[in-house]
């Protein structure tokens, strides 16, 4: 990772431990989209799907990173129990480098791979890809790009394990894939005005469009609650772009879950983000440092949409990069054992895949050494404006 300082990286699972990889491999082997146990020591991400208004980056080549539930989906809720044995056996065959690669996701432009992406995939055993940027090439053109990049995620480096292929397809300004074969998705605040059953049906169609080009993970829906329409313009990461489903936890839960269930019905894993919430932030972690939520507490009502989504069976959860001093004054969320382990694994009982938001290019994490961004240290103390 240190060599690819200009490349966006995500961490899947919480650490390089067997439990995390068994869960990831179990899902890969069966195509299950339901929660499966992952590491108990959280992760950092970039993704949620999610920032300004969506992940983009210019890189230079690196040397040769409760509520009323939505209508139930007709898709079966799968589990990883039947595949756990096969996954554990496969894990035992992997080298340390291959295990590390399965816990990493690297970005590649949806318009064609960059030198950084090819270097990572061809050299560093990376097992998963995030399609970033913007494309209006439609299903045919984008499918060709996905097929092309996946040729670099195979063979001896990944032991033949199928990769997760993710993108940001929320709607509105955050829709990476467009053109013929892709619907123009409304922004989430407009989706929130639809009946939940209608949104579920629409999301199923949107998910089928992603599946048709080889995407199996959508870094959406946003489950952050913005306090009010009046505050939305001040909420730089979410409200300013209409990425919220509403202004109460109940509205966010019902419609965010409907979106996630529609994705599941189409065979695409949904990712709820950005835990424990970015709806109260006034700065964006992608482009700003010292992004702090001074309000949210551990058992905050605004955490409820995430809890409801976990109960509904969402398979992926993305961490916020912000600081939450009333929960953990010493660490940013993706590096906080209290938030990632105690809250996500403990309070929510989430057994699925935890993924970080951008832990490479995000300004919020710049003070954290690159070599430390994929782990949960025993302690990181405040130094200036960013936690280290």
């Amino acid at each position: 990772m240190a060599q690819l300082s200009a490349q966006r990286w995500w961490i899947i699972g919480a650490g390089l431990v067997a439990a995390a990889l068994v869960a990831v491999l179990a899902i890969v082997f069966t195509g299950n989209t339901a929660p499966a146990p992952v590491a108990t020591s959280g992760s950092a991400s970039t993704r949620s799907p999610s920032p300004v208004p969506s992940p983009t980056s210019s890189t230079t080549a690196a040397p040769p990173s409760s509520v009323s539930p939505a209508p139930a989906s007709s898709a079966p809720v799968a589990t990883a129990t039947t595949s756990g044995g096969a996954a554990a056996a496969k894990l035992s065959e992997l080298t340390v480098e291959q295990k590390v690669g399965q816990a990493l996701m690297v970005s590649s432009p949806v318009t064609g791979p960059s030198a950084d992406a090819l270097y990572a995939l061809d050299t560093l055993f990376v097992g998963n890809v995030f399609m970033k940027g913007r494309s209006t090439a439609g299903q045919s053109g984008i499918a060709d790009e996905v097929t092309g990049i996946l040729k670099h995620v195979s063979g001896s480096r990944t032991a033949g394990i199928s990769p997760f292929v993710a993108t940001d397809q929320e709607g509105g300004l955050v829709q990476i894939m467009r053109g013929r074969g892709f619907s123009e998705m409304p922004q989430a605040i407009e989706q929130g005005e639809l009946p939940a059953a209608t949104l579920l049906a629409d999301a199923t169609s949107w998910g089928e469009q992603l599946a048709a080009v080889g995407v199996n993970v959508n870094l959406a829906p946003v489950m952050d609650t913005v306090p009010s329409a009046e505050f939305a313009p001040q909420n730089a990461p979410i409200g300013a772009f209409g990425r919220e489903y509403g202004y109460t936890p109940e509205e966010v839960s019902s419609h965010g879950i409907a979106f996630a269930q529609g994705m599941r019905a189409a065979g695409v894993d949904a990712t709820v983000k950005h835990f424990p919430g970015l709806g109260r932030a006034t700065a964006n972690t992608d482009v700003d440092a010292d992004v702090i939520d001074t309000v949210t507490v551990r058992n905050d009502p605004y955490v409820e949409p995430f809890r409801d989504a976990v109960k509904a069976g969402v398979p992926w959860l993305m961490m916020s990069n912000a600081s939450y001093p009333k929960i953990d004054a010493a660490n940013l969320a993706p590096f906080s054992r209290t938030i990632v382990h105690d809250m996500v694994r403990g309070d929510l009982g989430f057994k699925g895949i935890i993924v970080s938001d951008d832990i490479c290019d995000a300004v919020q994490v710049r003070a954290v050494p690159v070599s430390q961004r994929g782990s949960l240290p025993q302690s990181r103390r405040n130094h200036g404006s960013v936690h280290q």
Side-chain angles (χ1 to χ4, degrees):
M1 285 179 65
Q3 291 183 329
L4 295 178
S5 59
Q7 183 66 40
R8 284 183 178 269
W9 290 83
W10 289 257
I11 303 296
I12 297 174
L16 302 177
V17 298
L21 290 176
V22 167
V24 171
L25 294 177
I27 294 176
V28 169
F29 277 132
T30 63
N32 288 352
T33 58
V38 183
T40 57
S41 60
S43 81
S45 154
T46 119
R47 311 120 84 35
S48 214
S50 313
V52 135
S54 112
T56 59
S57 72
S58 59
T59 65
T60 56
S65 233
S66 160
V67 305
S68 301
S73 166
S74 58
V77 178
T79 66
T81 55
T82 57
S83 58
K90 186 65 176 181
L91 177 64
S92 68
E93 301 174 4
L94 302 184
T95 65
V96 172
E97 291 84 359
Q98 289 170 331
K99 292 175 183 177
V100 171
Q102 286 301 308
L104 295 176
M105 178 177 283
V106 67
S107 64
S108 181
V110 69
T111 53
S114 64
D116 283 346
L118 293 179
Y119 172 74
L121 297 173
D122 289 340
T123 310
L124 302 179
F125 301 87
V126 174
N128 309 283
V129 180
F130 169 69
M131 306 303 294
K132 70 174 179 180
R134 291 290 188 279
S135 176
T136 58
Q139 285 192 340
S140 178
I142 292 175
D144 288 343
E145 295 296 346
V146 173
T147 299
I149 196 66
L150 290 186
K151 292 178 181 178
H152 297 269
V153 191
S154 60
S156 60
R157 291 182 307 282
T158 59
I161 297 169
S162 299
F164 288 120
V165 182
T167 199
D168 276 339
Q169 201 84 337
E170 297 175 16
L173 291 173
V174 187
Q175 182 177 345
I176 287 178
M177 299 180 177
R178 299 175 185 267
R180 186 170 184 174
F182 289 103
S183 301
E184 284 297 311
M185 299 167 59
Q187 58 189 357
I189 193 63
E190 297 175 76
Q191 295 176 29
E193 297 175 354
L194 300 171
T198 300
L199 178 55
L200 190 156
D202 288 346
T204 300
S205 177
W206 300 332
E208 290 170 346
Q209 294 165 9
L210 292 177
V213 300
V215 171
N216 52 27
V217 178
N218 189 5
L219 298 180
V222 168
M223 299 297 273
D224 307 313
T225 303
V226 178
S228 67
E230 292 71 28
F231 179 72
Q234 303 173 53
N235 178 226
I238 308 300
F241 298 107
R243 299 172 69 198
E244 71 277 27
Y245 285 102
Y247 303 110
T248 67
E250 292 76 14
E251 292 173 321
V252 173
S253 285
S254 62
H255 287 74
I257 290 172
F259 185 99
Q261 289 180 331
M263 287 289 143
R264 183 176 66 185
V268 175
D269 285 359
T271 307
V272 293
K273 61 188 184 184
H274 312 78
F275 189 85
L278 280 176
R280 290 159 164 158
T282 55
N284 188 321
T285 58
D286 280 358
V287 297
D288 298 300
D290 200 22
V291 180
I292 301 174
D293 177 335
T294 61
V295 178
T296 300
V297 295
R298 181 162 176 173
N299 295 309
D300 201 283
Y302 282 20
V303 172
E304 287 306 306
F306 296 97
R307 190 187 309 276
D308 293 334
V310 169
K311 291 178 180 177
V314 68
W316 289 59
L317 180 148
M318 179 185 288
M319 302 303 301
S320 161
N321 275 341
S323 171
Y324 300 84
K326 289 193 174 180
I327 300 175
D328 184 343
N331 303 289
L332 297 177
F335 309 125
S336 169
R337 184 173 179 83
T338 298
I339 296 176
V340 177
H341 179 271
D342 298 348
M343 291 182 68
V344 177
R345 296 295 187 214
D347 297 351
L348 301 189
F350 182 61
K351 300 183 185 301
I353 295 175
I354 299 174
V355 64
S356 70
D357 200 344
D358 178 10
I359 57 167
C360 183
D361 289 345
V363 174
Q364 176 79 345
V365 302
R366 280 187 180 174
V368 180
V370 173
S371 62
Q372 297 179 20
R373 295 180 191 175
S375 64
L376 288 179
Q378 291 299 315
S379 177
R380 280 203 175 99
R381 301 301 176 188
N382 285 333
H383 293 276
S385 62
V386 180
H387 301 276
Q388 300 193 75

